[in-house]
Amino acid sequence: MTIMSESENLFLIENNKTEIEINEEDARTLGKLGEELASGRDRFGNLEEDSESTLIKVSPPLGSGKPYKISVMNSIGSIKIGEKTYDVRPKIDKDHFNFLFFNNEDPNKKIRLSEQLIEGGEVEGSLFWQMVESFLKNTEIVINKGIQKGYKLVEDELPYVSGRLDVLTTTKNLLVGKLKIKSEFEEFTPDISINRLIKEAVKKIITNELKTKYNPQVESFINEKRKQARYILSNFHEVGDYLVQDKYLSNVDRNNAYYKEAYSLGLKILEYEYLSSAEGDSEVSVSLFRTPDVVENGLRLALNQKMTSSFRCQRGGDTLPAGAGITGKPDLAFYFEKEKIATGDIKYKLFSENNNNQLEPNRHDINQIYSFMDGAGVNKGILIGFDNTGKELKDNGENYYEGSDKIIKSIPWRLKNITPEESLKNVIKEITNFLEED
């Protein structure tokens, strides 16, 4: 694929290989930045075996003398090489991306994604700063309504007994004349996952190194937001440092519903990455936002909000059986009354086409769903992906393995000639019909 242009605005599509005009040094710099930006780690900070080693793939090998092609993996944003800026756009239709990206936010405060916004206009990474403005406003609402507290297990040595006594350590203390009692107890504190996540997002705003073209109004805007962030940070002085697992342990329910906007935007700010380098002939900068988590979360939240009262959909959390050989946890769990009846997963990828002109889910994804079903103890599994062809899926809603009583239904979120609202209705209809089957 060659570079695409709209009125001299150069752009790429995430995950698509695109030829661009760069020299060997700039290609090498892009590759290094891509490797630095790749997280490649699971929720506990461990390196994932099947993770991408880079967010920016450069081919063919350096020094081949052939034109370079780049692929930006599962990210949107912008790449700037010298005076040229390349927009990196979503691999799915922009309206559908917007719908899922901003699904769980106040409709009156939505930031509509546009080519100008992704490119940055006056500010490289203006998507980041527009999210910042809304995030800070909603975090101030959290502060005004009261920072939530929760119980946290604490170990400490005290002059009195509190909670469960550590007899061995306390005895050792007393024998050496140390009048301290080692106890384990629950403390009611604001140092909980969701507050640590929001605090980390605020800190990122203060320390972010996004560059701007010289413009007094833009500089003033960013300085104002950083000043606002410093004030907000001072209100989180009792909240500890961010832990990798906080992203997955944080939750919004009816008791802290006023956190919803700040939590959602805080997650997105933590996903946003920026790096720059001047190792090659030109300065190269990359502003990228990882897309899978926010798109998949947006779809899950849409299902939570719109599913019929007969079935309940919530975040999945089943532990995979030992020795499953598959990593991760499911996005979805489906209930009828209090009984779990199915598990499911959302994949931000397009279903591929086979030789029979049919759509076919990825075999690894199917195997993963089977493992999720084993972990959940259910016989029904749902795999949701994306499609821009309108074609049917192969062997859908059938047993994939001979002798198995487990059935997987692959459901496409359609993108072609359909609105996001209609796609959501169709997905919910297919899920409901599948769950109602005997």
Side-chain angles (χ1 to χ4, degrees):
M1 178 183 291
T2 55
I3 196 75
M4 289 174 278
S5 172
E6 287 181 359
S7 303
E8 299 184 355
N9 185 28
L10 305 173
F11 68 94
L12 323 173
I13 304 296
E14 62 173 331
N15 289 53
N16 286 4
K17 190 178 289 188
T18 307
E19 183 180 314
I20 65 172
E21 295 180 8
I22 52 174
N23 59 36
E24 183 176 332
E25 284 301 312
D26 290 340
R28 179 178 288 107
T29 302
L30 264 182
K32 286 183 179 179
L33 293 179
E35 289 173 3
E36 288 184 55
L37 288 172
S39 58
R41 297 189 179 273
D42 64 19
R43 65 190 64 191
F44 303 110
N46 301 314
L47 192 66
E48 296 176 339
E49 292 182 5
D50 59 349
S51 65
E52 294 288 351
S53 58
T54 179
L55 291 191
I56 304 172
K57 293 184 176 181
V58 180
S59 61
L62 298 177
S64 66
K66 298 179 181 178
Y68 289 107
K69 295 181 179 180
I70 66 169
S71 306
V72 179
M73 310 309 297
N74 294 318
S75 304
I76 61 169
S78 64
I79 294 175
K80 188 172 182 183
I81 304 171
E83 297 301 315
K84 287 185 178 180
T85 299
Y86 301 85
D87 302 343
V88 185
R89 300 182 182 177
K91 58 188 168 190
I92 65 173
D93 176 83
K94 187 174 66 180
D95 289 338
H96 289 259
F97 183 86
N98 271 323
F99 178 82
L100 295 170
F101 190 91
F102 297 109
N103 169 67
N104 55 325
E105 296 169 15
D106 184 342
N108 297 319
K109 298 176 182 175
K110 288 181 180 177
I111 307 165
R112 287 297 175 187
L113 197 64
S114 67
E115 290 78 14
Q116 291 76 23
L117 189 152
I118 296 178
E119 180 203 0
E122 294 290 348
V123 186
E124 293 177 21
S126 63
L127 172 60
F128 176 84
W129 289 106
Q130 290 198 44
M131 287 191 297
V132 162
E133 184 172 31
S134 184
F135 168 71
L136 294 178
K137 188 184 301 181
N138 282 285
T139 303
E140 287 188 333
I141 292 173
V142 167
I143 292 170
N144 292 335
K145 290 190 174 183
I147 295 176
Q148 185 185 26
K149 292 185 177 183
Y151 286 101
K152 176 185 176 184
L153 195 62
V154 176
E155 285 188 357
D156 201 359
E157 294 185 350
L158 305 170
Y160 52 85
V161 176
S162 178
R164 192 176 71 175
L165 178 67
D166 184 335
V167 177
L168 181 60
T169 304
T170 301
T171 301
K172 290 179 178 178
N173 286 344
L174 295 175
L175 288 173
V176 298
K178 185 179 179 182
L179 300 178
K180 292 289 184 180
I181 299 172
K182 179 73 174 292
S183 301
E184 185 180 77
F185 55 93
E186 285 190 330
E187 184 179 56
F188 195 57
T189 171
D191 186 18
I192 57 177
S193 294
I194 195 166
N195 290 333
R196 290 195 293 267
L197 185 150
I198 289 174
K199 179 181 179 180
E200 185 68 12
V202 173
K203 288 168 66 177
K204 184 169 183 176
I205 292 165
I206 296 170
T207 59
N208 192 279
E209 297 179 355
L210 279 172
K211 294 184 178 181
T212 65
K213 298 175 183 178
Y214 180 72
N215 182 313
Q217 290 181 323
V218 172
E219 294 287 350
S220 176
F221 169 82
I222 292 177
N223 289 335
E224 179 188 339
K225 295 306 151 192
R226 286 185 169 140
K227 180 179 179 182
Q228 186 180 0
R230 282 190 284 270
Y231 161 74
I232 289 173
L233 185 62
S234 68
N235 287 271
F236 284 79
H237 62 279
E238 294 183 84
V239 178
D241 292 333
Y242 179 67
L243 306 173
V244 175
Q245 59 265 35
D246 287 336
K247 176 180 175 182
Y248 303 93
L249 297 176
S250 302
N251 200 20
V252 175
D253 55 31
R254 60 187 179 86
N255 295 316
N256 65 349
Y258 60 95
Y259 266 76
K260 187 174 77 168
E261 305 297 337
Y263 166 64
S264 167
L265 288 161
L267 277 173
K268 291 169 186 162
I269 286 169
L270 291 179
E271 288 287 332
Y272 200 91
E273 298 289 355
Y274 174 83
L275 280 177
S276 65
S277 176
E279 291 183 24
D281 293 341
S282 310
E283 181 172 1
V284 178
S285 63
V286 179
S287 305
L288 293 178
F289 185 92
R290 298 298 300 272
T291 48
D293 279 356
V294 290
V295 171
E296 291 166 10
N297 286 339
L299 203 161
R300 176 178 54 80
L301 288 163
L303 293 176
N304 288 344
Q305 294 163 0
K306 301 295 184 181
M307 286 285 287
T308 63
S309 57
S310 301
F311 300 104
R312 182 162 51 91
C313 167
Q314 66 182 47
R315 184 196 297 268
D318 310 300
T319 302
L320 290 176
I326 300 288
T327 58
K329 291 188 178 183
D331 296 315
L332 306 169
F334 297 94
Y335 293 80
F336 177 70
E337 295 180 347
K338 293 185 178 181
E339 180 186 1
K340 184 182 290 186
I341 58 174
T343 187
D345 210 38
I346 300 166
K347 298 296 183 184
Y348 178 53
K349 61 175 68 171
L350 297 168
F351 284 116
S352 58
E353 294 182 52
N354 61 23
N355 295 332
N356 296 321
N357 208 28
Q358 296 173 308
L359 300 179
E360 190 167 359
N362 180 281
R363 179 56 63 175
H364 177 272
D365 296 338
I366 293 295
N367 292 339
Q368 190 178 50
I369 293 287
Y370 266 99
S371 294
F372 291 158
M373 292 161 73
D374 283 338
V378 297
N379 291 329
K380 287 187 175 182
I382 293 172
L383 174 63
I384 302 176
F386 293 83
D387 166 60
N388 57 12
T389 68
K391 296 177 181 178
E392 294 303 313
L393 280 110
K394 175 190 175 185
D395 300 333
N396 205 6
E398 299 181 10
N399 293 346
Y400 277 82
Y401 297 106
E402 187 177 349
S404 171
D405 60 350
K406 292 180 171 58
I407 300 175
I408 296 177
K409 175 75 171 177
S410 297
I411 299 175
W413 178 286
R414 303 290 188 184
L415 302 165
K416 187 177 180 180
N417 301 326
I418 189 171
T419 67
E421 292 79 8
E422 290 171 329
S423 289
L424 176 60
K425 287 180 181 178
N426 290 343
V427 168
I428 290 175
K429 183 179 179 180
E430 289 203 52
I431 291 174
T432 303
N433 290 342
F434 178 61
L435 296 179
E436 288 176 344
E437 293 174 0
D438 293 333

